[in-house]
Amino acid sequence: MKRNLKSDTVVIKVGTSTLTYETGKLNLKRLDVLSRIIADLQNSGKRVVLVSSGAIGVGMSKLGLAVRPQSVKEKQAIAAVGQCELMSIYDRIFSEYGTIVAQILLTKDVLTNKERHENIVNTFNTLLEKGIVPIVNENDSISIDEIKFGDNDTLSALVSTLVDADTLIILSDIDGLYNKNPREFSDACLLHTVEEITDEIEKMASGAGTLKGTGGMITKISAAKMATSAGCDVIIANGSDPHVIYEILDGNQIGTLFKGRK
Ligand code: ADP
């Protein structure tokens, strides 16, 4: 049976594990397919926002660093290098498909500061009206704990509320939410639809994520909670082949759907 998804405004979040190879370098093939699909969706009249991780990974690879530094100032400096490189790559790829992109770097105070909130909503809307794809990341270089989202799953849920998205697609290195961590339990089963995020659902997500990723399933579930309560449908799916985005928007039973509370 097909899902009935509204998808005029779509937010797509990709994690580091989807964007990079085991070597830590960018998976350019995947990035290219992802960008082409987003450009195509934009051409078809949809409003699309991309939330992209990867700045620290790209920065490390540009600076030739094999080990992730521990100090905050080092990480912030590397993120600044990587963000610039990452956007330059997105800009080049999207340009090939005739699509303009814009960089949006956010801190959590857009939630609490009324003026900043209003400004960012206006910026998003203006970009989307002009057919430009906003590419969003946390502003790592200035983010201290008080103003930090901490992970891009949470950030993607906030962005979904800011642009009043119909659907949030979180692309990860796993097919969706399983009833227990499939990396530990071979008999874990994929959940196709979650009507309501109960305590039981949250418990299922408690296993740790991969080394490269940041939040694991826990942050994805709390992001789903935030976005669904704003009425947005959320799908967690495997981003290894970004063509799943078409399948998802066509209503095929891909990944796990968390139904928006309308
Ligand atoms: P990303 O970089 O895409 O954000 P993460 O590594 O942060 O990815 O999160 C995905 C990981 O969460 C999975 O690869 C898996 O190891 C882990 N995980 C823990 N519990 C579950 C679960 N119940 N269902 C699916 N994945 C789970």
Side-chain angles (χ1 to χ4, degrees):
M1 214 182 61
K2 287 239 178 189
R3 291 168 176 161
N4 186 12
L5 289 183
K6 191 166 171 269
S7 60
D8 295 339
T9 304
V10 183
V11 174
I12 298 171
K13 184 258 167 179
V14 276
T16 306
S17 51
T18 304
L19 290 173
T20 54
Y21 286 111
E22 287 297 318
T23 58
K25 299 222 173 196
L26 275 179
N27 185 329
L28 290 170
K29 183 178 166 198
R30 209 173 271 164
L31 215 67
D32 183 54
V33 176
L34 175 73
S35 304
R36 182 164 52 80
I37 290 170
I38 292 175
D40 189 40
L41 293 175
Q42 183 86 28
N43 286 353
S44 75
K46 293 187 190 302
R47 294 152 45 106
V48 191
V49 179
L50 175 62
V51 176
S52 175
S53 306
I56 293 187
V58 172
M60 281 174 57
S61 126
K62 183 143 191 178
L63 295 168
L65 302 173
V67 184
R68 203 181 170 101
Q70 290 306 311
S71 84
V72 174
K73 64 179 183 185
E74 286 283 322
K75 274 193 267 191
Q76 290 182 322
I78 292 163
V81 172
Q83 180 65 25
C84 177
E85 176 75 356
L86 187 62
M87 280 311 296
S88 152
I89 293 170
Y90 274 125
D91 191 43
R92 262 178 282 155
I93 300 179
F94 272 96
S95 306
E96 276 184 39
Y97 301 113
T99 299
I100 300 174
V101 295
Q103 171 181 259
I104 303 270
L105 297 176
L106 293 179
T107 44
K108 208 175 179 177
D109 47 357
V110 292
L111 284 175
T112 45
N113 182 315
K114 199 166 161 266
E115 204 177 328
R116 287 187 173 203
H117 185 272
E118 212 172 286
N119 286 340
I120 194 61
V121 169
N122 289 340
T123 304
F124 270 123
N125 285 336
T126 309
L127 289 170
L128 292 168
E129 272 159 28
K130 291 181 188 297
I132 296 167
V133 174
I135 301 183
V136 187
N137 195 5
E138 172 139 37
N139 194 346
D140 289 320
S141 305
I142 62 160
S143 283
I144 48 163
D145 283 348
E146 290 76 48
I147 53 167
K148 215 173 169 169
F149 294 100
D151 68 89
N152 276 3
D153 297 318
T154 309
L155 176 63
S156 71
L158 169 75
V159 169
S160 301
T161 64
L162 293 174
V163 300
D164 199 12
D166 304 302
T167 305
L168 163 63
I169 300 175
I170 298 180
L171 294 178
S172 184
D173 62 346
I174 195 114
D175 291 346
L177 175 68
Y178 286 77
N179 62 348
K180 45 192 166 181
N181 188 352
R183 311 261 183 230
E184 284 174 43
F185 302 94
S186 57
D187 61 341
C189 299
L190 180 70
L191 277 70
H192 290 287
T193 309
V194 173
E195 300 279 346
E196 197 189 339
I197 302 171
T198 57
D199 291 350
E200 196 195 349
I201 295 288
E202 288 188 84
K203 255 187 233 138
M204 291 175 188
S206 58
T210 53
L211 283 180
K212 268 195 297 163
T214 41
M217 268 296 144
I218 303 173
T219 53
K220 289 173 185 50
I221 301 302
S222 73
K225 221 169 168 179
M226 192 197 293
T228 52
S229 59
C232 177
D233 288 321
V234 177
I235 290 109
I236 300 175
N238 198 322
S240 58
D241 179 2
H243 286 99
V244 289
I245 296 171
Y246 286 128
E247 302 255 344
I248 291 166
L249 297 178
D250 277 348
N252 293 328
Q253 302 268 351
I254 304 280
T256 306
L257 165 66
F258 299 81
K259 284 196 178 167
R261 293 154 77 104
K262 308 282 172 324

